[in-house]
């Protein structure tokens, strides 16, 4: 670095630079001269493992900070502000010089092999220092479980946790960086746990789960996964200990038991239940946040046909799986036949006792196929929805459990849309006066409206959020109303809306950690923050809580599409549509294959897929933008203009930043190609 005037480099400086280059070449040939352990400790070591003693806390802080900077360099002024901000700038610079002298005495010849001080900068020589954080970052970046598994061993704990440096600026920097590191490590370990569990590598899956709990011991879904892994491995005593450990921890830290019913994950070796009590899994988990007094949520009663024939047994198994799924994903009250009868309600009286009665039966075909037929009726016996789901030869619908989950997704979407339409038909005062219509009206405004509708939704729910009275469902809808500002481009400050939405989703997660909806919304926020790995991890976590949860499946399709994995994106989109074809988000799921084709440069295939998506939702500006980008790439500009015309005014208000946030393609050139018609729409409406 030049220290002279503008005329050039002094001769003695040229000689110094040559010496530095010689030192760098020597280090590059011999390998790292020092190892820094930053995670769970603050320790400098020689390459042979011997500890480097004599470094003070601030000397270690200097090394740690430099090792984590781009280029491993920092100005002297930055270090002074970080570590010596109490006195004047001159005093701070003097303290830094004194600290460097102490470091040189403690490190001896090693100082010259590690540190250079050109001009107003201090830097670590390239290749001179190896850190455990580098190993963590390499493991996190791996797409294979063999690479991810290194996180179990190399992540030692919080960043510089024992280092005592009483400087607020340094402490704030450590806290911010530690939060980023923990989030990345947590996402990587979660991916490892899910992939290993699904592949039957249960020992390593359990190790990943334990490491996740070391980072945050109050992750209920991870506790549940650890119990499931132990049970799958046949380690029942360990599973029971894991349940008891979790219960004791939550009693101590939270003053009550975890919301997830961990006992239901254990084999049925408990004492026989009292006669007349409902079987495990029949009831939706009781959640104080979702149980205001009086509870005005609709009651959904689900019952299979009676009898002992194979058809009835299949229907009963599917109904049990549907009940378990609905209890996790539906915001309504859900009860099975046994629970209703235990409370004195007969199957024949369902139409009068429940808001919706869902009945199941099976029809056996001439071949091996069997079908579940579900009829949903209101209390007045009017038919409102029906689904006919085929028992497939393979895949998710090849078992009664898979069929029940698909049934739950379809029925939940149908009934939620029905309740949403009913709430939207009410006047503002009526819908705002009761919790359930208020929630459904807010949901409808967010899902089906525009910027003004989203403002109305926030007006309904924000007072509850401010007072702390909002439950997880209300917080999720409120979070989505903010996130929609990002991907729809309605807001002048999309990033502010993004962070508001993410914070609301985190609050929902704290309120209901066993609910898949907060994880789903956090995944959307992570995608908008251009963090696809975290986005996928949140959606996968939602699916560990509620397998078959259609919104998470559909969002996985979009994420895979943006990465250019067209085959996987198409498969996930088909799964989401099969699970909940009547969902409000179905148009986005149909759009995923179009995004995937566009991501890999198959614009003709993408164009064909956009036409299918527009048939379902012709007013969606983002889909029309995608179609226009395809036509632009094919040189069909007149057709491009016609495609944009219905939404030109909307697109003219959308900022390029919002488009980039909503479409973070792995190939940045594809994002720019998508944005090409945006300038045309803006010019046309100017």
């Amino acid at each position: 670095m030049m220290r002279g005037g503008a005329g050039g480099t002094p001769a003695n400086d040229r000689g110094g630079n040559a010496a530095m280059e010689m030192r760098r070449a020597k280090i590059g040939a011999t390998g790292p001269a020092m190892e820094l352990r930053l995670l769970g400790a603050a320790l400098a070591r020689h390459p042979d493992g011997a500890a480097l003693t004599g470094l003070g806390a601030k000397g270690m802080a200097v090394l740690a900070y430099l090792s984590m900077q781009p280029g491993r360099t920092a100005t002297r002024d930055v270090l002074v502000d970080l570590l010596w901000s109490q006195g004047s700038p001159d005093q701070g610079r003097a303290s830094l010089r004194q600290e460097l002298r102490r470091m040189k005495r403690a490190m001896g010849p090693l100082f010259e092999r590690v540190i250079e001080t050109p001009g107003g900068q201090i830097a670590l020589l390239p290749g001179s220092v190896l850190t455990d954080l580098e190993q963590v970052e390499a493991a996190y970046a791996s797409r294979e479980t063999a690479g991810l598994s290194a996180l179990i061993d190399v992540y030692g704990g919080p960043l510089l946790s024992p280092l005592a440096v009483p400087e607020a600026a340094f402490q704030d920097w450590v806290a911010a960086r530690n939060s980023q590191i923990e989030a990345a490590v947590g996402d990587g370990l979660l991916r490892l746990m899910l992939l290993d569990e699904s592949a039957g590598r249960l020992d390593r899956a359990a190790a990943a789960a334990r490491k996740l709990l070391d980072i945050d011991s109050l992750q209920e879904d991870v506790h549940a996964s650890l119990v499931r892994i132990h049970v799958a491995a046949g380690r029942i005593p360990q599973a029971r200990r894991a349940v008891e450990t979790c219960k004791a921890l939550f009693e101590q830290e939270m003053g009550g038991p975890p919301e997830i019913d961990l006992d239901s994950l254990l084999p049925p070796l408990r004492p026989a239940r009292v006669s007349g009590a409902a079987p495990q899994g029949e009831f939706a988990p009781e959640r104080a946040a979702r149980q205001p007094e009086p509870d005005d949520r609709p009651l959904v009663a689900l019952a299979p046909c009676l009898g002992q024939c194979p058809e009835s047994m299949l229907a009963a198994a599917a109904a049990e799986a549907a009940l378990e799924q609905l209890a996790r994903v539906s915001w309504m009250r859900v009860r099975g036949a046994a629970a209703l009868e235990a409370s004195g309600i007969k199957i024949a009286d369902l139409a009068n006792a429940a808001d919706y009665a869902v009945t199941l039966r099976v029809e056996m075909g001439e071949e091996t196929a069997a079908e579940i037929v579900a009829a949903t009726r209101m209390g007045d016996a009017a038919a409102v929805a029906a689904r006919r789901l085929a028992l497939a030869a393979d895949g998710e619908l090849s078992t009664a459990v898979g069929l029940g989950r698909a049934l739950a997704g379809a029925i939940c979407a149908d009934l939620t849309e029905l309740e949403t339409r009913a709430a939207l038909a009410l006047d503002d005062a009526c819908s705002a006066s009761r919790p359930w219509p208020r929630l459904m009206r807010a949901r409808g405004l967010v899902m089906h409206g525009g910027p003004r509708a989203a403002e109305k939704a926030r007006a309904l729910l924000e007072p509850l959020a401010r007072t702390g009275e909002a439950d997880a469902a209300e917080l999720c809808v409120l979070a989505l109303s903010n996130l929609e500002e990002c991907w729809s481009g309605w807001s002048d400050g999309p990033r502010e809306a993004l962070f508001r939405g993410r914070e609301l989703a985190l609050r929902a997660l704290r309120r209901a950690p066993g609910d898949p909806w907060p994880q789903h919304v956090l995944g959307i926020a992570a995608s908008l923050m251009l963090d696809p790995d975290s986005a996928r991890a949140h959606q996968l976590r939602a699916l560990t809580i509620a397998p078959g949860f259609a919104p998470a499946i559909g969002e996985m399709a979009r994420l895979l599409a943006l990465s250019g994995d067209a085959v996987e994106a198409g498969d996930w989109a088909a799964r989401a549509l099969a699970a909940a074809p009547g969902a409000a988000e179905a148009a986005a799921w149909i759009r995923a294959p179009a995004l995937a084709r566009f991501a890999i440069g198959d614009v003709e295939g993408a164009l064909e897929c956009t036409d299918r998506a527009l048939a379902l939702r012709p007013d969606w500006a983002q889909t029309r933008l995608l179609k226009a980008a395809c036509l632009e790439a094919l040189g069909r500009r007149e057709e491009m203009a016609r495609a944009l015309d219905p939404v030109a005014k909307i697109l003219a208000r959308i900022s390029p930043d919002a488009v980039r946030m909503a479409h973070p393609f792995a190939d940045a050139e594809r994002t720019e190609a998508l944005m090409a018609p945006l300038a045309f729409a803006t010019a046309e409406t100017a």
Side-chain angles (χ1 to χ4, degrees):
M1 180 177 180
M2 289 194 303
R3 290 182 292 173
T9 304
N12 62 341
D13 223 23
R14 288 195 296 270
N17 287 340
M20 287 180 190
E21 293 302 321
M22 291 178 62
R23 289 166 60 200
R24 291 178 179 182
K26 184 177 179 181
I27 289 166
T30 60
M34 176 189 290
E35 294 181 4
L36 286 181
R37 185 176 174 186
L38 307 175
L39 302 172
L43 180 65
R45 294 186 296 197
H46 294 276
D48 62 4
L52 180 62
T53 59
L55 273 177
K58 289 196 174 181
M60 187 67 201
V62 168
L63 291 173
Y65 183 80
L66 292 174
S67 73
M68 297 170 65
Q69 298 310 298
R72 293 194 162 182
T73 184
T75 66
R76 290 174 179 261
D77 288 343
V78 165
L79 289 171
V80 167
D81 291 341
L82 191 73
L83 294 167
W84 290 278
S85 61
Q86 302 293 328
S88 68
D90 288 341
Q91 288 174 324
R93 284 189 285 270
S95 297
L96 173 58
R97 288 193 297 271
Q98 185 176 357
E99 187 63 39
L100 288 172
R101 287 194 291 271
R102 277 197 292 264
M103 291 172 66
K104 195 167 186 176
R105 286 196 300 270
M107 296 171 66
L110 193 60
F111 185 90
E112 296 294 329
R113 295 183 59 194
V114 170
I115 294 175
E116 61 180 350
T117 57
Q121 292 186 321
I122 299 174
L124 299 182
L125 286 161
S128 64
V129 176
L130 177 67
T131 71
D132 54 354
L133 181 56
E134 292 175 277
Q135 297 172 292
V136 165
E137 290 170 342
Y140 172 71
S142 175
R143 291 182 175 271
E144 303 296 330
T145 56
L148 283 171
S149 65
L151 289 172
I152 297 173
D153 296 321
V154 299
Y155 178 71
L159 176 68
L160 301 173
S161 57
L163 197 63
V165 177
E167 290 281 343
F170 181 76
Q171 292 173 354
D172 290 344
W173 173 77
V174 170
R177 291 290 287 132
N178 185 62
S179 178
Q180 295 169 352
I181 294 166
E182 285 191 349
V185 172
D187 289 340
L189 288 169
L190 180 63
R191 279 187 284 150
L192 177 66
M193 182 189 75
L194 294 172
L195 291 169
D196 277 351
E197 183 181 4
S198 64
R201 296 185 288 266
L202 300 179
D203 288 344
R204 198 167 69 185
R210 287 191 292 268
K211 198 74 170 183
L212 278 165
L213 294 174
D214 287 342
I215 296 173
D216 181 359
S217 61
L218 297 177
Q219 299 179 82
E220 289 194 28
D221 55 331
V222 178
H223 281 286
S225 293
L226 181 58
V227 174
R228 279 197 301 267
I229 291 165
H230 282 320
V231 170
R235 299 190 289 259
I236 307 305
Q238 290 94 321
R240 294 187 182 282
R241 283 198 296 272
V243 170
E244 295 307 315
T245 299
C246 179
K247 287 181 178 179
L249 174 68
F250 272 76
E251 286 289 347
Q252 179 180 348
E253 298 291 333
M254 306 298 290
E259 291 197 10
I260 296 177
D261 184 3
L262 297 176
D263 287 323
S264 67
L265 303 175
L266 296 170
L269 299 178
R270 293 160 292 172
R273 59 184 173 85
V274 178
S275 177
Q280 191 68 40
E282 291 286 351
F283 289 93
E286 294 295 326
R287 295 173 177 153
R290 289 191 179 173
Q291 293 283 352
E293 294 294 339
D295 190 349
D296 65 341
R297 296 174 302 161
L299 174 62
V300 180
L302 193 152
C305 61
L306 302 176
Q308 297 298 321
C309 60
E311 293 91 335
S312 300
M313 295 174 65
L314 178 60
E320 183 177 354
L323 271 172
E324 182 180 1
Q325 179 82 354
L326 283 167
R328 293 190 173 107
V329 304
S330 176
W331 291 336
M332 304 181 197
R333 294 174 294 159
V334 184
R335 298 291 184 268
L340 291 164
E341 289 183 358
S343 60
I345 300 174
K346 302 295 184 184
I347 298 295
D349 299 328
L350 285 182
N352 297 322
D355 296 279
Y356 298 100
V358 179
T359 56
L360 287 78
R361 72 177 187 274
V362 173
E363 294 177 353
M364 300 297 296
E366 293 182 0
E367 300 180 1
T368 57
E371 294 180 337
I372 298 289
V373 179
T376 307
R377 298 181 179 275
M378 294 179 63
D380 61 0
V384 294
R387 293 288 174 195
R388 189 177 184 88
L389 303 171
L391 189 67
D394 54 18
E396 285 190 312
L397 298 184
S398 62
T399 65
V401 172
L403 203 55
R405 289 172 180 168
L407 170 66
I411 291 300
C412 182
D414 288 343
L415 298 188
T416 302
E417 286 300 313
L418 188 67
E419 287 289 306
T420 298
R421 289 196 297 271
L424 289 172
L426 299 173
D427 59 51
D428 291 344
C430 184
S431 62
S433 62
R434 291 180 293 140
W436 179 254
R438 179 177 61 222
L439 174 64
M440 289 294 98
R441 185 176 181 83
R443 176 190 178 274
L445 290 168
V446 171
M447 293 291 184
H448 303 289
R452 289 180 183 156
E455 289 177 8
K456 289 183 179 179
R458 286 193 287 274
L460 286 170
L461 299 179
E462 279 182 344
L464 297 171
R466 282 195 295 268
T467 60
E469 297 176 87
D471 64 16
E474 290 160 337
L475 289 168
C476 283
V477 171
L478 190 54
L480 286 171
S481 76
N482 282 279
L483 297 180
E484 191 170 16
E485 289 193 17
C486 302
W487 70 68
S488 297
W490 297 337
S491 172
D492 293 332
R495 297 197 178 276
E496 291 79 0
L498 166 59
F499 287 110
R500 283 198 303 271
R502 184 176 182 273
E503 175 57 31
L504 288 162
L506 287 170
R507 287 174 59 185
L509 180 63
R510 291 192 290 269
R511 198 71 185 261
D515 189 324
W517 277 101
Q519 294 289 355
H520 169 59
V521 179
L522 281 170
I524 294 173
S527 173
L528 293 168
M529 295 174 73
L530 310 183
D531 186 354
D533 290 329
S534 294
R536 284 192 292 269
H538 280 297
Q539 302 306 334
L540 291 172
R541 181 167 280 182
L543 291 170
T544 64
I545 297 171
F549 181 46
I553 297 172
E555 179 62 9
M556 280 294 296
R558 189 184 74 90
L559 295 170
L560 289 164
L562 292 169
S563 70
D565 196 335
V567 175
E568 282 289 307
D571 289 345
W572 282 79
R575 286 176 58 195
L577 290 165
E585 305 95 330
W589 306 338
I590 292 176
R591 185 172 177 260
L595 286 172
R597 293 292 173 189
F598 188 79
I600 61 176
D602 179 9
V603 291
E604 291 185 350
L607 183 60
E608 183 180 342
C609 293
T610 58
D611 287 336
R612 287 197 291 270
L614 287 170
L616 184 62
R617 189 168 173 180
D619 62 334
W620 202 348
Q622 300 279 12
T623 306
R624 286 198 170 272
L625 179 63
L626 178 58
K627 180 175 182 176
C630 294
L631 293 167
E632 167 79 1
L634 294 170
R636 294 153 61 177
R637 291 185 62 83
E638 290 185 3
E639 292 178 69
M640 179 195 75
R642 288 197 297 272
L644 291 173
D645 187 60
V647 294
K649 291 183 179 179
I650 297 174
L651 289 174
R653 297 196 303 266
I654 295 179
S655 69
D657 194 23
V659 176
R660 290 189 181 94
M661 291 171 69
H663 301 88
F665 288 101
D667 182 353
E669 291 183 1
R670 304 313 299 158
T671 303
E672 298 307 311
L674 178 66
M675 293 174 57
L678 199 61
F680 177 86
T682 303
E684 287 295 304
T685 56

